[in-house]
Amino acid sequence: MPSLWAAAGGAPGELDRLSRTGPAATLASTFPVTRAGAAAVGAGLLAGTLGTGARVGLDTRGLAVALRSERYVRLDGHPLGSPFDALSAFHRTADGWLRLHANYPWHRAAALHVLGCTAEEVPAAIAERPGLELEDALYDAGGIGAVVRTEDAFRAVAGPPPALLEHRVLGDAPARPVRRPRVLDLTRVIAGPVATRTLAVHGADVLRLDAPDRPEIPLQAADTLPGKRSALLDLRAGPAELERLLAGADVVVTGYRPGALDRFGLAPEELAQRHPGLVTVTLSAWGHRGPWAHRRGFDSIVQAACGIALAEGDGDRPGALPAQVLDHATGYLAATAALLALTRQHTEGGSHHVRLSLVGTAAWLQGLPREEAAPAQDGDPAPYLQELDTPGGVLTLARPPGTLDGRPLAWPPPAPSFGTATPEWLSR
């Protein structure tokens, strides 16, 4: 925890405000998943309460619920389904294993196009082809898949991993006044949305934008939209509207491949020139440089490629971490970095840019001392759940992890509602 907090730019004296309770390990893994998750979440709690002197706490039983928050989503007591498509799994290839991602319809369609078969025929079709050939073909077709590799094999093809967190000042800018921050959320899936929902818990006005032709998986919308307003905006058709939102923002968080949003004027360097004093946070799967930088990727895909899946496997069959820890830890770290960068901006000025990646978080986790796999210590999740009234019924969600001066954190309004907000800022 001290080294992670220092890497984020936090002052050592702040660590005394954080206390941790609960079992040392609540998630079974060969990696120190509980310890890593606690460090990332604890850093977010400290960053969100800077200057208050408040005592913050984290119970590892609540942490286990938060790191698997998608598993606890219910509407009137009923699950909203699974975020994983049936094809999103490990498949045997002609020479090993490949992890396929098909959760979104466009990625599923790309996979079926590459394989030239029906969904039912996918396992057999994959089994006939070499893994590397499929990996490249999926990438070229707009799909997502990764060969299951060892850690050394991955670094041989992708190069050294990026740092866990990189912070830079892109130019001079006057210090902005301290006020309720406005956060423009241009992220999808888990890491970015976890970051921005954490910022909402700590008081930010978060406005998420999605393309009208890219619907969200209902379970993921419910899980990652609490406390935010969600609006639809075609960035290609609404550049003036986007620029108006940028002019009013204090923080912009993006969660796409490096350079993917540059055509909309969203490169960090351009934003610093047009909107001095803005804090920009960019999240990606594979980092901002190297031969894999522009590949698509998600938590499960990074686990497969970088060696985690083999370490978590049974025999020759690969496995997975007990939670999507790369996503969640990266999200909490991104929120930490955004809050600390805002503090620096208010005191020192400047236009700040922070970079994080799932593969950087994976390398950090892999570099921590390994732990012997132990049975998961699952407890009653009820104390760590929250109910929200929505037009469609009562929504049950995992609470934001942590306490503030002994009081559990809770999701602020509004309740999750994908694409129903107007793309504008609330009044200060």
Side-chain angles (χ1 to χ4, degrees), residues 157-183:
V157 298
L164 176 62
L165 186 154
E166 298 176 78
H167 174 270
R168 58 185 184 147
V169 179
L170 297 179
D172 295 332
R176 295 187 177 191
V178 177
R179 58 193 178 187
R180 183 187 187 190
R182 291 171 171 172
V183 178

Side-chain angles (χ1 to χ4, degrees), residues 206-351:
V206 180
L207 177 64
R208 172 167 156 171
L209 298 182
D210 283 276
D213 62 344
R214 286 291 188 260
E216 184 56 283
I217 298 169
L219 174 61
Q220 288 188 169
D223 183 39
T224 62
L225 285 179
K228 311 177 193 180
R229 294 175 299 114
S230 166
L232 302 180
L233 180 66
D234 186 343
L235 300 186
R236 297 164 296 185
E241 197 163 9
L242 174 62
E243 194 64 18
R244 176 178 58 81
L245 293 172
L246 289 168
D250 299 295
V251 179
V252 175
V253 185
T254 67
Y256 293 82
R257 289 172 292 158
L261 300 180
D262 289 3
R263 65 187 185 276
F264 304 116
L266 290 166
E269 295 80 4
E270 290 186 50
L271 289 174
Q273 290 180 356
R274 298 201 316 275
H275 303 286
L278 191 66
V279 171
T280 305
V281 180
T282 54
L283 307 173
S284 63
W286 307 106
H288 65 284
R289 63 167 65 97
W292 279 50
H294 296 287
R295 292 200 174 212
R296 303 164 194 88
F298 296 102
D299 184 307
S300 60
I301 298 298
V302 175
Q303 287 189 43
C306 76
I308 288 177
L310 282 179
E312 289 287 86
D314 182 12
D316 72 332
R317 186 176 184 86
L321 294 171
Q324 294 185 78
V325 176
L326 307 185
D327 265 327
H328 283 268
T330 303
Y332 288 110
L333 289 173
T336 300
L339 291 164
L340 292 176
L342 267 178
T343 299
R344 286 188 60 178
Q345 208 293 320
H346 293 325
T347 57
E348 304 171 12
S351 299

Side-chain angles (χ1 to χ4, degrees), residues 92-175:
R92 281 195 180 274
T93 64
D95 53 1
W97 291 90
L98 178 129
R99 176 81 190 211
L100 187 64
H101 190 282
N103 294 353
Y104 286 103
W106 45 95
H107 295 148
R108 193 176 196 270
L112 294 178
H113 171 73
V114 167
L115 295 167
C117 66
T118 67
E120 292 74 17
E121 297 167 335
V122 163
I126 291 179
E128 295 176 353
R129 298 175 64 172
L132 291 178
E133 174 197 308
L134 271 176
E135 185 180 72
D136 289 339
L138 287 165
Y139 169 70
D140 291 340
I144 303 178
V147 168
V148 175
R149 294 173 168 86
T150 66
E151 184 176 351
D152 288 342
F154 175 67
R155 295 192 180 188
V157 298
L164 176 62
L165 186 154
E166 298 176 78
H167 174 270
R168 58 185 184 147
V169 179
L170 297 179
D172 295 332

Side-chain angles (χ1 to χ4, degrees), residues 72-89:
Y72 299 96
V73 178
R74 300 288 187 274
L75 185 63
D76 287 338
H78 302 290
L80 290 184
S82 170
F84 283 97
D85 185 88
L87 300 183
S88 295

Side-chain angles (χ1 to χ4, degrees), residues 40 54 59 97 185 188 221 308 382:
D59 190 289
W97 291 90
D185 179 359
R188 288 180 73 85
I308 288 177

Side-chain angles (χ1 to χ4, degrees), residues 337-410:
L339 291 164
L340 292 176
L342 267 178
T343 299
R344 286 188 60 178
Q345 208 293 320
H346 293 325
T347 57
E348 304 171 12
S351 299
H352 296 256
H353 176 215
V354 182
R355 280 190 290 235
L356 303 96
S357 66
L358 300 186
V359 75
T361 302
W364 169 64
L365 179 64
Q366 288 172 299
L368 296 174
R370 299 286 175 92
E371 299 175 346
E372 290 187 12
Q377 299 188 36
D378 286 332
D380 180 10
Y384 311 105
L385 303 179
Q386 178 180 349
E387 291 187 344
L388 300 173
D389 290 327
T390 75
V394 177
L395 185 66
T396 302
L397 300 173
R399 282 184 176 274
T403 60
L404 175 60
D405 285 334
R407 300 184 304 275
L409 296 178

